[in-house]
Amino acid sequence: MSLNINILICLFLCGEVPGIQSFEQVPWLPCQLVDESVTFNDEGHAETEYQHRDAGLQFGHPGDSALNPNKITFLVTGSKVDMRKYIEGVMAHQLRCEIRRYNTEGLQMRWPGLGAQEHDIWFTCTIRHTDGVFIITSFLRHTPATPTPGQAHYRNWAAIADRAALTTSTVMLVLTRSPSVRVGLVKQQSLHCQFDVDHKAADLTVEWRLQRHGERTTLFSHSSHSGQTKGSGVPLNAIGRGNASLTLPLTKQSSEGTYVCLVSVPPLFGSHDITLHIMEPPRVSLNVDSTIFLVDRGEQKVVCEAEGYYPLDVEMEWFREPSGGGGGLLPEKLDTVLYSSHRHHQDGTYSLSAFFLLHAFLHNSGSKYFCRVSHSSQRMPIRKSFTLIVTEYDSWNTALWLFFGFGAILVMVAILFVMLPRLSSARKANQRKPY
């Protein structure tokens, strides 16, 4: 509720109509400050308590008054790194902002950028698109008015007042436009990772890792300090432009997992997780034509086949829709359907069959039967159908067929009885002829 109120306040202050304001036009963006309070128990172990507090990003210049003085304000002043230019055209209501303190793990050093001090303290600001389009994490540097040695360490963090205004500058950011990726098998996929630093970093490290089934594998690493590069998939000239995107080889089942892009410029260490899902849609087919003709009380086995899908989860169902649409009634789900076992193929995909024995009755003529296949790779189920046409069982035609058929058999037998003696006599005559 409070976040929605903050958004309305922001839109009011900016004089914009809700729904048409883009992020680069926003001088104030509502955020949640996830503050940390660290205490130590009787055994000397640190215990962290998290507190969610109303705050906001305000973009401006040093000395600007807070646009929303009732909230904690992080005043983001001019820098070579501007998070807004990386997410242009996005509406403010599509963003979720979270600010946290950043622990340098005891590494106390002066940031090489302009205006940095020895005892600066750090915050991270993570902005997520509500539809999962991107995640961007910016590092905010704040110089306290009265620096105290060691206050950058989490044990010595100073309290932030409810209406405090902290002047900061963005010194580094890490961005991904592919937080979650769905891709098929035997496809080439690029995982987006981008970064920006406010100075030419002499000690930059870029690394990619794959986490799968509890195991972690380093796919690529590059250090500008040592000049060493291991692995492949990221062009070095692209890193010089702030592009650390990883190009994967042709995907296979083992490509699935969580890929981590890590960018480090001491004392800052940024990363983003990118989840890659292998999704292969099923190919669905029936063993019958679009129309089946059967006589009354006839039978036929009907099979629905789903092939080549991944992952394993698939749902197959058969339905019957009466002739003429059933008068608005819902299709009837068949309860006589049998299923094969899942068949696992060499490429990692699966197949499954759903079948039933179709009994034809005159009152079912014109009914439509359809197989519905649902799979996580498809937004909508796949449907394959056929129409049943039932003809009346004609007893007279059957009787005539049996009569004439039986008569033909009798004629054949009579001919054989007449011909066999003649053939036998001719054979004996041939045997008595002298050579």
Side-chain angles (χ1 to χ4, degrees), residues 19-23 89-95 129:
I20 64 172
Q21 188 183 35
S22 60
F23 177 51
V90 179
M91 299 298 106
H93 69 274
Q94 296 176 299
L95 304 175
H129 193 283

Side-chain angles (χ1 to χ4, degrees), residues 301-360:
K301 182 181 179 181
V302 182
V303 183
C304 181
E305 185 83 21
E307 299 178 282
Y309 58 86
Y310 184 88
L312 179 63
D313 299 330
V314 69
E315 184 178 12
M316 301 180 69
E317 299 169 299
W318 273 104
F319 293 87
R320 182 177 72 85
E321 189 176 85
S323 176
L329 297 176
L330 292 175
E332 173 193 1
K333 182 179 178 180
L334 304 185
D335 56 6
T336 57
V337 178
L338 299 176
Y339 297 89
S340 69
S341 59
H342 285 279
R343 299 180 294 279
H344 195 193
H345 305 293
Q346 288 186 346
D347 63 357
T349 63
Y350 298 91
S351 297
L352 181 68
S353 302
F355 54 92
F356 70 99
L357 186 61
L358 175 63
H359 299 276

Side-chain angles (χ1 to χ4, degrees), residues 320-328 362-368 387-389:
R320 182 177 72 85
E321 189 176 85
S323 176
L362 286 175
H363 65 271
N364 285 339
S365 185
S367 295
K368 186 176 183 179
T387 301
L388 172 65
I389 303 298

Side-chain angles (χ1 to χ4, degrees), residues 220-264:
F220 174 86
S221 66
H222 169 75
S223 170
S224 63
H225 179 70
S226 65
Q228 288 188 338
T229 301
K230 297 180 181 179
S232 60
V234 182
L236 295 185
N237 58 351
I239 292 177
R241 300 190 300 270
N243 183 2
S245 299
L246 174 71
T247 300
L248 299 175
L250 294 180
T251 55
K252 49 189 176 181
Q253 187 178 351
S254 59
S255 302
E256 198 168 44
T258 300
Y259 292 78
V260 186
C261 174
L262 306 104
V263 179
S264 172

Side-chain angles (χ1 to χ4, degrees), residues 46-111:
E47 295 180 348
T48 303
E49 180 180 350
Y50 295 95
Q51 181 182 5
H52 293 261
R53 307 173 65 187
D54 291 333
L57 286 182
Q58 179 176 324
F59 299 92
H61 305 280
D64 286 353
S65 299
L67 292 176
N68 189 352
N70 295 321
K71 309 296 180 184
I72 300 171
T73 298
F74 287 81
L75 178 61
V76 182
T77 59
S79 167
K80 292 182 179 179
V81 178
D82 187 351
M83 67 181 81
R84 292 176 295 180
K85 77 175 185 180
Y86 291 92
I87 42 182
E88 294 178 349
V90 179
M91 299 298 106
H93 69 274
Q94 296 176 299
L95 304 175
R96 294 294 178 266
C97 172
E98 181 181 274
I99 299 175
R100 290 176 177 263
R101 297 178 187 259
Y102 181 75
N103 182 12
T104 59
E105 303 293 341
L107 182 58
Q108 188 70 35
M109 59 181 294
R110 182 184 178 278
W111 181 256

Side-chain angles (χ1 to χ4, degrees), residues 175-206:
L175 162 72
T176 179
R177 299 189 187 276
S178 56
S180 181
V181 176
R182 293 156 59 109
V183 64
L185 290 166
V186 199
K187 300 289 191 301
Q188 191 169 65
Q189 180 66 39
S190 177
L191 305 180
H192 179 262
C193 185
Q194 191 174 358
F195 65 93
D196 197 1
V197 186
D198 69 352
H199 65 281
K200 184 174 178 59
D203 194 2
L204 167 71
T205 301
V206 173

